[in-house]
Structures are given as C-alpha cells and as structure tokens.
Amino acid sequence: MITFKEVSKRYKTGRQWVDAVKPTSLHIEKGHIQGIIGFSGAGKSTLLRMANLLEQPTAGEVYIDGQELTGLSTGELREARRSIGMIFQHYNLLSNETCAANVEFVLKAAKLPSRERKKRVEECLEIVGLAEKARQYPAQLSGGQKQRVAIARALANNPKVLLCDEPTSALDPVTTLSILEFLEKINREFQVTIMLVTHEIQVAKRLCSRVAVMENGAITEQLDMSLPAVKP
Ligand code: ADP
Ligand code: ADP
C-alpha cells in the first residue's frame, strides 16, 4: 500500500549537507500498522513526510496503492493526497475555527456539496466520540480531544493511508492509550493502513504489526511484532 523505493533526502543548511534519509526501501502492506522508531534526528519524520511528498525526495520513488506520487502533476498530487490522511504531534488544527469547521475544511477542499459535508463532519466526529464538541474551539479541548479532532479530519476523505508523526508524544500515558485505541479501531474498521513515527517504544509495541528501526538516516532493522495486523 505504501512503497518507498530507494528514497533519499539530503538537506543543505548553510554550506553543510545532511543526509536525513539515505537511500531507503520499505514496503508497507495493506492493513498493516508500520511503526518507525529511533532517536531524535534519525530521519523518521523526513521519511514519513516523503510518503505524501510533504517532503520532496532528493532521489527515489514513492508509491501509494500502486500509484507513483513522484511523477504526478500538482493537480494529480492534490487528488492523490486526499486518500492519505495525516496527524501530527501538535495537532495542527485551525485555532480560530470550530472542531466541525476544522473537519469540514478538508471536505470543502475536496469540493463536496454542503449537505454531504455536514453529514460527513458529523460521522467523523462521531467516530472519535466528539460529536458534542462540534461547536467548540480547539482551545476549549484537552490535548487528547484535539488529537481526536485531528483524527476525525484525517478520516474525512476516507483515506486508504494514515500517516502519524509522533501522535502521542505531547500526551500523558492514559490519553496516549486512548488515542492508540482510536488508531487501532480505524485500522480495523476502515482497513486504513497506518505508518506511525514514534520515539516511544511502548507505543510501537502496543500498536504496530511491524516496526522499522531507524538510525542515522537508514533502516537498520525491521521487526515483525508477531501480532496480527488486526487484533480481535
Ligand atoms: P527524526 O524525525 O527521527 O527526529 P528528522 O527526519 O526530523 O528526524 O531529521 C533527520 C535529520 O535531518 C536531522 O539531522 C535534522 O536536523 C535534519 N533535518 C530535518 N529537516 C530539515 C530541514 N528542513 N533542513 C535541514 N535539515 C533538516
Ligand atoms: P499492497 O502492498 O497493499 O499489495 P501496493 O499498491 O503498494 O499494494 O502494491 C501493489 C503491488 O505492486 C504490490 O505487489 C507491490 O509489491 C507492487 N509494487 C508497489 N510499488 C512497487 C515498486 N516501486 N516497484 C515494484 N513493485 C511495486
């Protein structure tokens, strides 16, 4: 479902070059929850952000559901990205918009008619158990609730893939567990393939069917967690 083929990223800062990701190949099968773990600076986030070309690879190819993203035009990429949801450590919600408007925003971008938008916003907030917070603003919510709104937004366009960049790193252990349970539910009920970057080994152990270890811009190990991709 997600394939990185000899993908690399080199940054230039001043006169210094940094190989954030060295040529890396990784195949994530449909229905799996693939964790990427490693220390800060290992290249995890850069690799994840290349999955939807938030970060343009220096070389290599990225495929989502068989479609090569690296060869697409701007318009085609915008279209392809609708099937790729993403959540972040700091939620990235629009602070001056309500929860409902935050979710509706991506549906407007997808040009969904107004009535269908309202219905889908309700459904998505329902999935994350926040229907009653629809009219509230992000500042009125706890961290865990904000992340649930971000999950609702990521789900709005029925993605095949969900990219998670340190989704629980700003949360306490109890809230972390509840977010992991929502991610598991999304994987199981909607067959969304998940790629999750974390520096928290416990998070990877709890959720992932496979875990790749990144060090110095390279995957050094790929661990099979011997768990079914979808737990009963
Ligand atoms: P991780 O997510 O594992 O913490 P990152 O992918 O964020 O690692 O970063 C990998 C390396 O690339 C680090 O050395 C980081 O400083 C560097 N890096 C990341 N983003 C940029 C950028 N926009 N410009 C320059 N260097 C960057
Ligand atoms: P999935 O992994 O869920 O079956 P994909 O859409 O990622 O779905 O891939 C469909 C098929 O195409 C898979 O058998 C995969 O191995 C193959 N494939 C995907 N990307 C590449 C690639 N870059 N090079 C060769 N084969 C690829």
Side-chain angles (χ1 to χ4, degrees):
M1 180 54 83
I2 308 174
T3 302
F4 297 93
K5 196 172 175 186
E6 292 293 305
V7 165
S8 62
K9 181 72 186 184
R10 171 173 276 194
Y11 289 114
K12 194 179 185 188
T13 43
R15 267 186 283 163
Q16 206 92 349
W17 289 95
V18 179
D19 286 311
V21 176
K22 294 166 188 162
T24 294
S25 297
L26 177 67
H27 182 64
I28 305 174
E29 278 166 48
K30 186 173 179 183
H32 275 262
I33 304 182
Q34 170 78 55
I36 310 286
I37 63 167
F39 295 121
S40 179
K44 306 183 296 295
S45 183
T46 301
L47 182 66
L48 183 81
R49 292 159 64 87
M50 289 195 285
N52 61 359
L53 299 199
L54 260 184
E55 217 56 87
Q56 187 70 40
T58 304
E61 293 151 20
V62 178
Y63 297 78
I64 300 287
D65 201 14
Q67 184 180 38
E68 187 193 347
L69 296 191
T70 27
L72 299 181
S73 69
T74 312
E76 289 167 333
L77 179 60
R78 197 182 303 129
E79 192 67 34
R81 277 183 175 149
R82 295 216 175 95
S83 61
I84 313 172
M86 189 163 188
I87 61 172
F88 305 86
Q89 178 174 5
H90 296 296
Y91 326 118
N92 294 16
L93 299 174
L94 303 168
S95 57
N96 53 356
E97 299 282 1
T98 64
C99 296
N102 265 280
V103 178
E104 191 177 3
F105 179 76
V106 297
L107 297 168
K108 273 188 184 161
K111 305 218 160 42
L112 205 70
S114 173
R115 272 187 50 196
E116 288 171 46
R117 285 203 309 263
K118 306 286 182 222
K119 183 162 166 276
R120 185 65 185 146
V121 168
E122 258 176 52
E123 281 169 5
C124 290
L125 287 174
E126 196 78 55
I127 291 165
V128 297
L130 285 180
E132 80 283 6
K133 302 284 184 193
R135 305 276 154 248
Q136 301 209 5
Y137 288 83
Q140 297 171 281
L141 306 181
S142 69
Q145 289 172 334
K146 281 183 221 176
Q147 194 60 291
R148 280 150 64 189
V149 174
I151 292 171
R153 178 183 58 185
L155 289 180
N157 284 319
N158 278 315
K160 297 174 190 147
V161 165
L162 179 61
L163 306 176
C164 308
D165 196 351
E166 299 277 6
T168 59
S169 299
L171 303 173
D172 64 72
V174 173
T175 311
T176 290
L177 195 58
S178 110
I179 292 298
L180 297 183
E181 282 166 1
F182 277 111
L183 293 178
E184 199 167 49
K185 170 177 158 175
I186 285 155
N187 169 253
R188 194 173 47 216
E189 287 184 20
F190 308 111
Q191 286 79 50
V192 176
T193 305
I194 296 179
M195 178 175 174
L196 172 134
V197 159
T198 182
H199 67 276
E200 300 168 294
I201 182 78
Q202 293 308 330
V203 166
K205 273 172 132 174
R206 171 69 182 76
L207 194 66
C208 298
S209 48
R210 290 201 183 138
V211 176
V213 182
M214 261 191 112
E215 276 175 66
N216 281 322
I219 292 176
T220 54
E221 217 174 335
Q222 168 83 294
L223 309 168
D224 197 325
M225 305 306 278
S226 319
L227 296 169
V230 168
K231 290 191 211 105

